[in-house]
Amino acid sequence: MTTIENVTIEDFKLRFKTLPYLPIYVENKAYFTDDVVYYELNFYKSLTDGNMTLPTDTTNWELTNDTTDNYITDEDIEEAFNEAKINFNPNLFPSDDVAKIPFLYLAGHYLMIDLNIALNPLGTGVIGFTTSKSVGSVSEGYSLPQWMLSNQWLSPFAQTPYGRKYLTLIQPYLIGNIIYTNGSTVF
């Protein structure tokens, strides 16, 4: 039986390296001038290169104004995992390794939805699909495959790039799957 219980927050961070994660201070790591870390509910900026002191050392660090709202926390990722588990069927996949990547993209989709809601909590609309953009004489247009949009169960995942990637990863597993179970009838 395939499972996604062993997927970790580190797996997520490795897959999506460019997201703005909370820069938690790591002991014995060298920091450089202007590196910002989060330590004991505050943000600190390094004043020196090769800085390995605690952020409370005012010779090498200064308090800086920032908020955790500007970053993705481990709790945000964990919540996205919990939401993804609701709609993820690991039994579609032949192994844990194959199931891991689509699961991470589904979690990324839910994280993006949650961040969008956090940025616009009173928003009454849904995330729409851009079919064309233009600025002056430059224009760009694209469309989503019909198989994504015509299925009422799959189309919500097409709202984010992560959801669309998830759909392309699971598409081969949605076609012609049959699961046999043993059973008997008693007369």
Side-chain angles (χ1 to χ4, degrees):
M1 178 177 183
T2 303
T3 180
I4 41 91
E5 296 305 318
N6 295 327
V7 178
T8 66
I9 290 171
E10 259 330 288
D11 292 332
F12 187 91
K13 289 179 178 179
L14 285 171
R15 172 65 53 181
F16 308 113
K17 295 176 186 172
T18 60
L19 293 176
Y21 300 110
L22 186 65
I24 296 173
Y25 173 77
V26 177
E27 194 171 341
N28 297 321
K29 177 182 174 184
Y31 291 94
F32 297 91
T33 304
D34 295 331
D35 282 351
V36 173
V37 297
Y38 182 72
Y39 179 75
E40 293 185 354
L41 304 178
N42 289 304
F43 287 89
Y44 298 86
K45 182 169 68 171
S46 178
L47 302 174
T48 59
D49 286 336
N51 187 354
M52 295 180 71
T53 64
L54 284 176
T56 52
D57 172 10
T58 57
T59 305
N60 293 300
W61 296 90
E62 71 177 359
L63 267 172
T64 188
N65 186 19
D66 207 344
T67 175
T68 56
D69 294 341
N70 294 330
Y71 301 96
I72 296 170
T73 65
D74 288 357
E75 291 79 18
D76 295 331
I77 298 168
E78 192 64 46
E79 182 62 27
F81 279 6
N82 291 335
E83 292 172 6
K85 286 176 185 176
I86 294 169
N87 285 317
F88 191 79
N89 183 357
N91 294 320
L92 287 176
F93 306 95
S95 69
D96 291 353
D97 288 338
V98 174
K100 181 180 184 176
I101 294 171
F103 178 77
L104 289 171
Y105 275 97
L106 182 60
H109 166 75
Y110 281 111
L111 179 64
M112 292 302 111
I113 296 290
D114 291 344
L115 292 175
N116 188 32
I117 292 169
L119 291 172
N120 188 14
L122 300 177
T124 56
V126 297
I127 299 173
F129 306 116
T130 302
T131 56
S132 67
K133 293 183 200 179
S134 62
V135 177
S137 63
V138 178
S139 64
E140 173 184 55
Y142 63 90
S143 63
L144 298 173
Q146 193 58 41
W147 68 267
M148 286 184 186
L149 299 177
S150 63
N151 184 306
Q152 68 178 347
W153 303 110
L154 299 180
S155 61
F157 299 113
Q159 294 180 69
T160 68
Y162 295 113
R164 290 190 294 275
K165 177 82 178 246
Y166 164 71
L167 289 176
T168 63
L169 291 170
I170 69 166
Q171 183 187 25
Y173 298 101
L174 297 177
I175 301 168
N177 287 298
I178 299 173
I179 298 174
Y180 294 99
T181 57
N182 294 328
S184 64
T185 57
V186 178
F187 292 100

